[in-house]
Amino acid sequence: AQKITQTQPGMFVQEKEAVTLDCTYDTSDPSYGLFWYKQPSSGEMIFLIYQGSYDQQNATEGRYSLNFQKARKSANLVISASQLGDSAMYFCAMREVTSNTGKLIFGQGTTLQVKP
Amino acid sequence: DVKVTQSSRYLVKRTGEKVFLECVQDMDHENMFWYRQDPGLGLRLIYFSYDVKMKEKGDIPEGYSVSREKKERFSLILESASTNQTSMYLCGSGRVNTGELFFGEGSRLTVL
């Protein structure tokens, strides 16, 4: 069965430093997509970055990059130059493309706190 | 600007009451979803819909039903609320098999 695992319930990082949030996944589907979302205290889920299973290069979006290691089934989020506004909960999610439903399976989430 | 709107940010209900949570999207998306978010468990899928009047059970459908009479609107119904349904409920919408899901701001339900 498909599964997403985030093993870090909480993380701290100093402002302006980089931080890596871990995500591993399990699927038997050869085609899938991996997502990261940010959820600030306001509750809204904000899409950050996407990686397709057949993408040759790691995805990047501004200060966010996804360290995709297919053989290890990991899709870690790297945030460079952390800002106080990055303090939030972060969710990793996966969609199995061939299931044709568009639904996402989410991990447990990691709470990130950026220290000034 | 794309938007998913949930009818209530905060609700307090009593055990046994009927609860309606409404979600409206303005992006003409085919797919709509209801998730429940609990600490340490992440988001779990309750129900989803891929077309008007079409619905499928997610991972935790027990105690819930849904309605999609119009493409833009997806409602979650708790026929008889129980205390274990106290949670944050998130509605999402997206295109079939492409792109990310867009989410509303969530509805925090407390059942006393």
Side-chain angles (χ1 to χ4, degrees):
Chain A
Q2 53 191 320
K3 190 177 179 182
I4 290 277
T5 303
Q6 294 177 253
T7 57
Q8 306 155 312
M11 292 278 287
F12 288 93
V13 65
Q14 206 66 38
E15 194 179 8
K16 299 179 185 175
E17 291 187 351
V19 63
T20 298
L21 306 184
D22 294 342
C23 173
T24 58
Y25 60 91
D26 192 16
T27 180
S28 56
D29 200 309
S31 184
Y32 51 90
L34 296 158
F35 300 78
W36 277 92
Y37 283 84
K38 172 184 178 181
Q39 186 183 44
S41 56
S42 58
E44 185 181 359
M45 296 282 281
I46 301 167
F47 165 73
L48 295 178
I49 197 167
Y50 168 79
Q51 178 86 41
S53 58
Y54 293 119
D55 292 344
Q56 295 296 312
Q57 293 190 331
N58 286 346
T60 60
E61 287 285 348
R63 293 186 300 110
Y64 304 109
S65 60
L66 201 151
N67 184 2
F68 181 45
Q69 297 187 42
K70 196 170 183 177
R72 297 180 61 185
K73 293 191 173 179
S74 75
N76 299 339
L77 177 70
V78 181
I79 306 174
S80 63
S82 298
Q83 301 172 356
L84 296 178
D86 293 335
S87 294
M89 180 162 274
Y90 290 81
F91 289 96
C92 180
M94 176 176 67
R95 180 183 64 220
E96 289 185 345
V97 175
T98 52
S99 73
N100 208 33
T101 62
K103 67 179 182 179
L104 298 185
I105 306 297
F106 285 84
Q108 306 92 319
T110 296
T111 300
L112 176 67
Q113 284 208 291
V114 181
K115 292 181 172 180
Chain B
D1 205 13
V2 297
K3 204 157 178 69
V4 178
T5 305
Q6 293 184 227
S7 54
S8 306
R9 291 294 307 275
Y10 301 95
L11 299 98
V12 179
K13 297 290 182 180
R14 296 202 176 276
T15 300
E17 281 191 284
K18 192 169 186 175
V19 182
F20 287 93
L21 299 178
E22 291 213 306
C23 175
V24 178
Q25 51 100 357
D26 64 0
M27 297 162 280
D28 200 37
H29 286 160
E30 299 87 359
N31 291 351
M32 295 188 76
F33 305 82
W34 275 105
Y35 286 87
R36 159 177 183 159
Q37 181 181 357
D38 299 289
L41 297 177
L43 278 72
R44 294 178 291 166
L45 183 64
I46 304 171
Y47 267 97
F48 67 98
S49 168
Y50 48 89
D51 202 350
V52 174
K53 296 191 188 293
M54 307 301 287
K55 61 186 180 186
E56 281 198 25
K57 293 180 180 179
D59 300 315
I60 51 164
E62 298 78 18
Y64 303 96
S65 62
V66 289
S67 171
R68 193 167 181 199
E69 297 296 319
K70 294 184 178 181
K71 190 175 185 180
E72 67 271 17
R73 190 180 297 268
F74 191 36
S75 301
L76 180 70
I77 303 149
L78 289 68
E79 291 289 342
S80 177
S82 63
T83 53
N84 63 12
Q85 292 178 310
T86 291
S87 187
M88 168 76 105
Y89 291 88
L90 286 160
C91 174
S93 75
R95 299 215 177 275
V96 175
N97 245 1
T98 62
E100 73 272 27
L101 293 191
F102 295 87
F103 285 90
E105 290 186 315
S107 298
R108 189 168 293 281
L109 171 67
T110 302
V111 183
L112 302 174

Tab-separated table of all heavy atoms in Angstrom, chain A residues 52-89:
chain	number	residue	atom	x	y	z
A	52	GLY	N	7.948	15.031	-10.256
A	52	GLY	CA	7.411	13.856	-10.920
A	52	GLY	C	8.401	12.712	-10.871
A	52	GLY	O	9.623	12.933	-10.890
A	53	SER	N	7.906	11.492	-10.847
A	53	SER	CA	8.796	10.343	-10.686
A	53	SER	C	9.735	10.166	-11.873
A	53	SER	O	10.789	9.546	-11.748
A	53	SER	CB	7.978	9.068	-10.480
A	53	SER	OG	7.107	8.844	-11.571
A	54	TYR	N	9.371	10.696	-13.025
A	54	TYR	CA	10.230	10.552	-14.204
A	54	TYR	C	11.068	11.794	-14.481
A	54	TYR	O	11.804	11.837	-15.474
A	54	TYR	CB	9.369	10.230	-15.429
A	54	TYR	CG	8.713	8.870	-15.355
A	54	TYR	CD1	7.334	8.732	-15.363
A	54	TYR	CD2	9.491	7.714	-15.259
A	54	TYR	CE1	6.745	7.482	-15.285
A	54	TYR	CE2	8.909	6.457	-15.182
A	54	TYR	CZ	7.528	6.351	-15.196
A	54	TYR	OH	6.938	5.111	-15.123
A	55	ASP	N	10.921	12.791	-13.621
A	55	ASP	CA	11.718	14.016	-13.814
A	55	ASP	C	13.189	13.698	-13.580
A	55	ASP	O	13.548	13.061	-12.586
A	55	ASP	CB	11.271	15.113	-12.841
A	55	ASP	CG	9.879	15.611	-13.154
A	55	ASP	OD1	9.396	15.336	-14.266
A	55	ASP	OD2	9.276	16.278	-12.281
A	56	GLN	N	14.026	14.160	-14.505
A	56	GLN	CA	15.454	13.861	-14.416
A	56	GLN	C	16.168	14.736	-13.407
A	56	GLN	O	17.172	14.347	-12.806
A	56	GLN	CB	16.108	14.043	-15.793
A	56	GLN	CG	15.608	13.060	-16.843
A	56	GLN	CD	15.964	11.626	-16.482
A	56	GLN	OE1	17.084	11.315	-16.130
A	56	GLN	NE2	14.974	10.756	-16.549
A	57	GLN	N	15.665	15.939	-13.239
A	57	GLN	CA	16.324	16.880	-12.341
A	57	GLN	C	15.489	17.128	-11.097
A	57	GLN	O	14.258	17.046	-11.136
A	57	GLN	CB	16.567	18.203	-13.062
A	57	GLN	CG	17.576	18.096	-14.197
A	57	GLN	CD	17.977	19.458	-14.714
A	57	GLN	OE1	17.215	20.406	-14.651
A	57	GLN	NE2	19.199	19.559	-15.216
A	58	ASN	N	16.172	17.470	-10.016
A	58	ASN	CA	15.470	17.831	-8.791
A	58	ASN	C	14.717	19.137	-8.986
A	58	ASN	O	15.226	20.084	-9.594
A	58	ASN	CB	16.457	17.982	-7.638
A	58	ASN	CG	16.980	16.653	-7.148
A	58	ASN	OD1	16.438	15.598	-7.484
A	58	ASN	ND2	18.038	16.686	-6.361
A	59	ALA	N	13.498	19.193	-8.458
A	59	ALA	CA	12.691	20.400	-8.592
A	59	ALA	C	13.221	21.511	-7.684
A	59	ALA	O	13.720	21.248	-6.592
A	59	ALA	CB	11.245	20.082	-8.221
A	60	THR	N	13.110	22.738	-8.173
A	60	THR	CA	13.463	23.901	-7.361
A	60	THR	C	12.413	24.985	-7.590
A	60	THR	O	11.888	25.135	-8.682
A	60	THR	CB	14.849	24.469	-7.722
A	60	THR	OG1	14.828	24.851	-9.105
A	60	THR	CG2	15.943	23.452	-7.501
A	61	GLU	N	12.116	25.713	-6.496
A	61	GLU	CA	11.195	26.842	-6.567
A	61	GLU	C	11.693	27.893	-5.579
A	61	GLU	O	11.446	27.803	-4.383
A	61	GLU	CB	9.774	26.432	-6.163
A	61	GLU	CG	9.019	25.594	-7.148
A	61	GLU	CD	8.514	26.381	-8.345
A	61	GLU	OE1	8.552	27.629	-8.295
A	61	GLU	OE2	8.106	25.746	-9.318
A	62	GLY	N	12.446	28.839	-6.087
A	62	GLY	CA	12.976	29.870	-5.213
A	62	GLY	C	13.891	29.274	-4.153
A	62	GLY	O	14.870	28.611	-4.456
A	63	ARG	N	13.559	29.499	-2.886
A	63	ARG	CA	14.389	28.971	-1.791
A	63	ARG	C	14.108	27.512	-1.481
A	63	ARG	O	14.769	26.934	-0.603
A	63	ARG	CB	14.162	29.816	-0.531
A	63	ARG	CG	14.663	31.251	-0.643
A	63	ARG	CD	14.539	32.005	0.687
A	63	ARG	NE	13.164	32.086	1.164
A	63	ARG	CZ	12.705	31.432	2.232
A	63	ARG	NH1	13.498	30.639	2.938
A	63	ARG	NH2	11.451	31.570	2.605
A	64	TYR	N	13.126	26.929	-2.161
A	64	TYR	CA	12.777	25.531	-1.910
A	64	TYR	C	13.385	24.636	-2.992
A	64	TYR	O	13.319	24.957	-4.178
A	64	TYR	CB	11.259	25.341	-1.926
A	64	TYR	CG	10.517	26.219	-0.957
A	64	TYR	CD1	9.739	27.281	-1.401
A	64	TYR	CD2	10.583	25.978	0.417
A	64	TYR	CE1	9.049	28.084	-0.515
A	64	TYR	CE2	9.899	26.778	1.311
A	64	TYR	CZ	9.134	27.834	0.839
A	64	TYR	OH	8.460	28.636	1.721
A	65	SER	N	13.939	23.536	-2.564
A	65	SER	CA	14.377	22.519	-3.512
A	65	SER	C	14.018	21.151	-2.954
A	65	SER	O	13.875	20.965	-1.746
A	65	SER	CB	15.881	22.617	-3.789
A	65	SER	OG	16.613	22.437	-2.597
A	66	LEU	N	13.833	20.220	-3.861
A	66	LEU	CA	13.441	18.872	-3.462
A	66	LEU	C	14.599	17.946	-3.797
A	66	LEU	O	14.995	17.844	-4.964
A	66	LEU	CB	12.151	18.470	-4.208
A	66	LEU	CG	11.323	17.348	-3.589
A	66	LEU	CD1	9.854	17.507	-3.937
A	66	LEU	CD2	11.832	15.997	-4.052
A	67	ASN	N	15.138	17.300	-2.800
A	67	ASN	CA	16.229	16.345	-2.972
A	67	ASN	C	15.606	14.966	-3.212
A	67	ASN	O	15.272	14.240	-2.278
A	67	ASN	CB	17.116	16.340	-1.729
A	67	ASN	CG	18.317	15.429	-1.896
A	67	ASN	OD1	18.512	14.814	-2.955
A	67	ASN	ND2	19.127	15.325	-0.867
A	68	PHE	N	15.448	14.635	-4.490
A	68	PHE	CA	14.738	13.423	-4.904
A	68	PHE	C	15.738	12.307	-5.122
A	68	PHE	O	16.603	12.379	-6.005
A	68	PHE	CB	13.959	13.705	-6.191
A	68	PHE	CG	13.160	12.549	-6.715
A	68	PHE	CD1	12.374	11.781	-5.873
A	68	PHE	CD2	13.168	12.250	-8.076
A	68	PHE	CE1	11.630	10.725	-6.370
A	68	PHE	CE2	12.422	11.198	-8.586
A	68	PHE	CZ	11.643	10.437	-7.731
A	69	GLN	N	15.637	11.252	-4.304
A	69	GLN	CA	16.494	10.074	-4.460
A	69	GLN	C	15.572	8.875	-4.676
A	69	GLN	O	15.076	8.268	-3.716
A	69	GLN	CB	17.379	9.898	-3.231
A	69	GLN	CG	18.320	11.072	-3.042
A	69	GLN	CD	19.334	10.834	-1.931
A	69	GLN	OE1	19.882	9.738	-1.812
A	69	GLN	NE2	19.579	11.852	-1.135
A	70	LYS	N	15.385	8.563	-5.946
A	70	LYS	CA	14.368	7.580	-6.332
A	70	LYS	C	14.662	6.198	-5.786
A	70	LYS	O	13.767	5.492	-5.326
A	70	LYS	CB	14.257	7.547	-7.858
A	70	LYS	CG	13.020	6.884	-8.400
A	70	LYS	CD	12.903	7.137	-9.885
A	70	LYS	CE	11.632	6.536	-10.434
A	70	LYS	NZ	11.469	6.835	-11.876
A	71	ALA	N	15.922	5.789	-5.850
A	71	ALA	CA	16.281	4.440	-5.401
A	71	ALA	C	16.037	4.281	-3.898
A	71	ALA	O	15.673	3.205	-3.423
A	71	ALA	CB	17.740	4.155	-5.732
A	72	ARG	N	16.210	5.356	-3.163
A	72	ARG	CA	15.993	5.317	-1.717
A	72	ARG	C	14.559	5.682	-1.350
A	72	ARG	O	14.191	5.666	-0.187
A	72	ARG	CB	16.953	6.290	-1.027
A	72	ARG	CG	18.417	5.952	-1.205
A	72	ARG	CD	19.305	6.956	-0.502
A	72	ARG	NE	19.065	6.975	0.942
A	72	ARG	CZ	19.640	7.824	1.780
A	72	ARG	NH1	20.473	8.723	1.332
A	72	ARG	NH2	19.372	7.791	3.072
A	73	LYS	N	13.774	6.038	-2.351
A	73	LYS	CA	12.386	6.457	-2.147
A	73	LYS	C	12.309	7.582	-1.112
A	73	LYS	O	11.554	7.513	-0.141
A	73	LYS	CB	11.503	5.277	-1.734
A	73	LYS	CG	11.343	4.252	-2.859
A	73	LYS	CD	10.266	3.226	-2.555
A	73	LYS	CE	10.030	2.341	-3.768
A	73	LYS	NZ	8.997	1.313	-3.522
A	74	SER	N	13.129	8.594	-1.342
A	74	SER	CA	13.071	9.752	-0.457
A	74	SER	C	12.894	11.025	-1.269
A	74	SER	O	13.342	11.124	-2.426
A	74	SER	CB	14.315	9.839	0.431
A	74	SER	OG	15.423	10.289	-0.315
A	75	ALA	N	12.245	11.997	-0.664
A	75	ALA	CA	11.923	13.265	-1.334
A	75	ALA	C	12.011	14.386	-0.294
A	75	ALA	O	11.003	14.984	0.082
A	75	ALA	CB	10.529	13.196	-1.941
A	76	ASN	N	13.211	14.664	0.129
A	76	ASN	CA	13.412	15.635	1.198
A	76	ASN	C	13.292	17.066	0.684
A	76	ASN	O	13.748	17.386	-0.412
A	76	ASN	CB	14.786	15.449	1.840
A	76	ASN	CG	14.945	14.082	2.473
A	76	ASN	OD1	13.960	13.407	2.777
A	76	ASN	ND2	16.183	13.674	2.671
A	77	LEU	N	12.708	17.914	1.500
A	77	LEU	CA	12.574	19.335	1.174
A	77	LEU	C	13.733	20.097	1.801
A	77	LEU	O	13.996	19.958	2.997
A	77	LEU	CB	11.253	19.887	1.706
A	77	LEU	CG	11.021	21.391	1.493
A	77	LEU	CD1	10.782	21.680	0.012
A	77	LEU	CD2	9.835	21.868	2.333
A	78	VAL	N	14.403	20.893	1.004
A	78	VAL	CA	15.480	21.742	1.500
A	78	VAL	C	15.036	23.196	1.387
A	78	VAL	O	14.637	23.647	0.319
A	78	VAL	CB	16.791	21.530	0.699
A	78	VAL	CG1	17.890	22.425	1.261
A	78	VAL	CG2	17.212	20.068	0.741
A	79	ILE	N	15.071	23.878	2.520
A	79	ILE	CA	14.765	25.314	2.532
A	79	ILE	C	16.069	26.049	2.794
A	79	ILE	O	16.722	25.830	3.826
A	79	ILE	CB	13.744	25.681	3.635
A	79	ILE	CG1	12.484	24.825	3.504
A	79	ILE	CG2	13.393	27.164	3.556
A	79	ILE	CD1	11.485	25.020	4.630
A	80	SER	N	16.451	26.885	1.870
A	80	SER	CA	17.704	27.632	2.050
A	80	SER	C	17.405	28.994	2.672
A	80	SER	O	16.286	29.514	2.550
A	80	SER	CB	18.399	27.817	0.699
A	80	SER	OG	17.584	28.588	-0.160
A	81	ALA	N	18.392	29.549	3.372
A	81	ALA	CA	18.270	30.897	3.940
A	81	ALA	C	16.944	31.077	4.666
A	81	ALA	O	16.113	31.915	4.297
A	81	ALA	CB	18.438	31.946	2.842
A	82	SER	N	16.738	30.279	5.710
A	82	SER	CA	15.456	30.288	6.432
A	82	SER	C	15.067	31.689	6.902
A	82	SER	O	15.916	32.490	7.314
A	82	SER	CB	15.540	29.373	7.651
A	82	SER	OG	15.775	28.051	7.256
A	83	GLN	N	13.761	31.935	6.859
A	83	GLN	CA	13.203	33.198	7.330
A	83	GLN	C	12.197	32.918	8.441
A	83	GLN	O	11.658	31.820	8.533
A	83	GLN	CB	12.502	33.917	6.165
A	83	GLN	CG	13.401	34.215	4.992
A	83	GLN	CD	12.644	34.741	3.786
A	83	GLN	OE1	11.411	34.831	3.788
A	83	GLN	NE2	13.379	35.113	2.741
A	84	LEU	N	11.943	33.926	9.258
A	84	LEU	CA	11.002	33.732	10.364
A	84	LEU	C	9.630	33.286	9.858
A	84	LEU	O	8.932	32.503	10.495
A	84	LEU	CB	10.874	35.025	11.175
A	84	LEU	CG	12.144	35.490	11.897
A	84	LEU	CD1	11.908	36.807	12.620
A	84	LEU	CD2	12.643	34.434	12.881
A	85	GLY	N	9.263	33.768	8.680
A	85	GLY	CA	7.983	33.394	8.090
A	85	GLY	C	7.906	31.956	7.611
A	85	GLY	O	6.827	31.492	7.225
A	86	ASP	N	9.021	31.253	7.650
A	86	ASP	CA	9.013	29.834	7.275
A	86	ASP	C	8.511	28.958	8.419
A	86	ASP	O	8.280	27.761	8.226
A	86	ASP	CB	10.423	29.378	6.878
A	86	ASP	CG	10.914	30.040	5.597
A	86	ASP	OD1	10.070	30.452	4.776
A	86	ASP	OD2	12.149	30.160	5.435
A	87	SER	N	8.360	29.522	9.601
A	87	SER	CA	7.845	28.750	10.733
A	87	SER	C	6.429	28.295	10.429
A	87	SER	O	5.532	29.120	10.206
A	87	SER	CB	7.852	29.596	12.016
A	87	SER	OG	9.170	29.909	12.401
A	88	ALA	N	6.235	26.990	10.382
A	88	ALA	CA	4.950	26.421	9.963
A	88	ALA	C	5.048	24.908	10.079
A	88	ALA	O	6.101	24.355	10.411
A	88	ALA	CB	4.619	26.810	8.514
A	89	MET	N	3.934	24.253	9.748
A	89	MET	CA	3.967	22.799	9.603
A	89	MET	C	4.128	22.497	8.110
A	89	MET	O	3.527	23.169	7.266
A	89	MET	CB	2.684	22.179	10.137
A	89	MET	CG	2.642	20.680	10.011
A	89	MET	SD	1.418	19.890	11.062
A	89	MET	CE	2.307	19.692	12.560
